Amino acid sequence: MKKFLLLLLLAVSLSAGADSLASIGKARFGESYDPALEKLKTEFGTPVAVSTDCVTFKALTYHNVKFSQVEFYFKDKKLNGASFLVAVANKRLAISKVKQIRDNLSTQYDISQDYDDGAYFYIGGHSPRGIGRLFTISSGKRNGGWFAELRYGPF
């Protein structure tokens, strides 16, 4: 019984340590604003807009997908989420782009699917909080245009 409890405790501590390292590139979720911003700039270049709540980039490639706009969100001066958007012409292209993002991320993460509003969406990875998912991949319509989105958080 002691061995079982010891193994269980070891497994929980190892998985919690791995989850706390969830990141986008070199910027870790939960990391303070200044070091996270520097890491994002080093990896993705110069943002088009910067505030203490949100850092926005345009036209960047991540996981072999070219995203139209990427926003990194901060809460209480810590990185707590991100939204990667691809603008497309119609719903069919949005669904196709969602599948491409899913395929690219499925080489690194376990991904599950669900169905809502006439399209599949996907969730994957493990939240840095230890409960829930790291990201969601979905399609939708916003401001009259279709998009595919890879969303991390909020954490």
Side-chain angles (χ1 to χ4, degrees):
M1 182 66 165
K2 287 182 182 178
K3 287 182 182 179
F4 174 76
L5 289 175
L6 183 60
L7 286 173
L8 181 64
L9 184 61
L10 179 62
V12 168
S13 67
L14 287 175
S15 68
D19 289 341
S20 67
L21 298 177
S23 63
I24 294 179
K26 295 180 177 159
R28 291 183 331 273
F29 290 106
E31 186 167 18
S32 296
Y33 180 85
D34 289 330
L37 179 58
E38 287 308 310
K39 289 174 183 176
L40 294 171
K41 286 179 179 179
T42 299
E43 185 155 359
F44 299 120
T46 304
V48 296
V50 177
S51 74
T52 56
D53 296 331
C54 183
V55 177
T56 303
F57 293 85
K58 296 277 188 188
L60 66 83
T61 300
Y62 183 68
H63 283 286
N64 296 317
V65 177
K66 186 171 182 177
F67 290 93
S68 311
Q69 179 171 309
V70 178
E71 295 180 334
F72 294 93
Y73 305 112
F74 292 84
K75 183 176 180 183
D76 299 326
K77 296 185 179 182
K78 294 187 185 285
L79 180 62
N80 83 324
S83 172
F84 291 72
L85 292 172
V86 179
V88 294
N90 56 49
K91 183 177 182 177
R92 182 185 58 78
L93 291 174
I95 291 169
S96 175
K97 189 58 74 172
V98 163
K99 290 177 182 176
Q100 178 193 1
I101 297 167
R102 175 209 58 199
D103 292 345
N104 291 358
L105 289 172
S106 69
T107 62
Q108 290 181 302
Y109 300 100
D110 290 332
I111 295 178
S112 61
Q113 71 179 15
D114 206 341
Y115 190 79
D116 189 30
D117 284 339
Y120 287 101
F121 68 94
Y122 304 90
I123 57 175
H126 299 284
S127 164
R129 291 185 175 180
I131 297 173
R133 48 81 184 136
L134 177 61
F135 58 82
T136 302
I137 307 164
S138 62
S139 61
K141 196 170 187 179
R142 189 180 298 163
N143 299 327
W146 284 94
F147 66 89
E149 180 180 28
L150 168 60
R151 178 174 277 287
Y152 290 86
F155 303 113

